[in-house]
Amino acid sequence: MTTPRTLTTVRTRLRPLRETDRDLWVRLHTDPAQYPFAPWARSDVARAEELLGAALVHWAEHGFGYGVVEDRGTGDALGVGGVIHGRDRRNLNLYYRLDVPHQGRGLGPEVARAVSADALEHGPALPLTATARPDHRASIRTAERSGFTLAGAAEEGAVLPGVPAVVVERARANDPADVPGPVVLVAPRAEVWRRPFDAETREAVLDLWCATNDSGGAVGFLPGAPRERVAEALAAHEEQMAARTAVAVLLRDPHDAVVAAAWWSAAANPLLGHRRTAYRVMSDPDRRGRNLGRLLMAAMHRVAREDGVEVAELGVRGGTGVDAFYAALGYEEVGRLPGGIRVGADDDRDDVWMARRLDGRPLLS
């Protein structure tokens, strides 16, 4: 997030906010239909223009912020959304507001999922939060589908897991005293391990690995594999970590539960020092559909770039549909061995190799 960039989703494009977006911004923030759950929060024209000015200053100072959501096909403006620093710069705040005619089309989650992953990959290393009125179920569901966990209500004196105190204090600063406080949701935080895990983390990762495997995830074993065998594979990865040839990246929810994990592995050959291979990419099967895979890979890419990695690689088991997930993240197929993975009798799958560059250059010319 150091330079203005445009994010794309299947149906939308999110571009940086501009001065010429004044009419759209003012209309969205003064329209009573936009505030059915908090009518007191609606701005007048002067206040909306003041907020626009602050949003433009944020872009100028930080190179990221709120943007305009456009239809990829027509270029029509659909709303606004993005991430900015919270007050006192103790957190990042996720925000999305679509024009009324475009609500109910699933565009909010589509944009919020992309913005959240982008913030984790490129933004400041701060807690990523979102607030919503407690009765605004659609807004809460959007945040949850983007990977956020409900931390609780921002009532006076509340201590919410993973939420800086200043966020709780300011969340309802402009609310009437007689209404319930807004709820705060928190995105998972990344945790990097360059040495073997402590005992508690090891058990949490092992639990996740077994659960992923038993739910059919392609993480090295068939469903029902004994826990001891998975533990042996985990110990092998920890040996690599001890030898500094592997790095583990975990995601934890605000309650400290490990909800996703993966490893980067480096080859011993110094000629391959600019490359890393991702292994055992897994997320909590009980939270599927909540953007954890995308958030995990965003964290993985961030760690790899910080380590100077230029090319990321990974293997995919054919027939799982996972290749489409990685393709959406910029990975391209660079090799395929038909029938290279034997899942069971009469069930051979292709062994697919995918890669992408992390330095902005194209992988394939």
Side-chain angles (χ1 to χ4, degrees), residues 274 310-311 330 332 356-364:
H274 63 302
E310 299 173 26
V311 179
E332 301 177 71
R356 62 159 288 184
R357 296 196 68 94
L358 299 177
D359 55 8
R361 295 164 53 193
L363 180 71
L364 303 175

Side-chain angles (χ1 to χ4, degrees), residues 206 209-210 213-214 221-233:
L206 185 55
W209 194 339
C210 290
N213 188 70
D214 290 346
F221 301 92
L222 295 177
R227 185 179 179 88
E228 310 84 71
R229 288 187 58 201
V230 181
E232 291 172 359

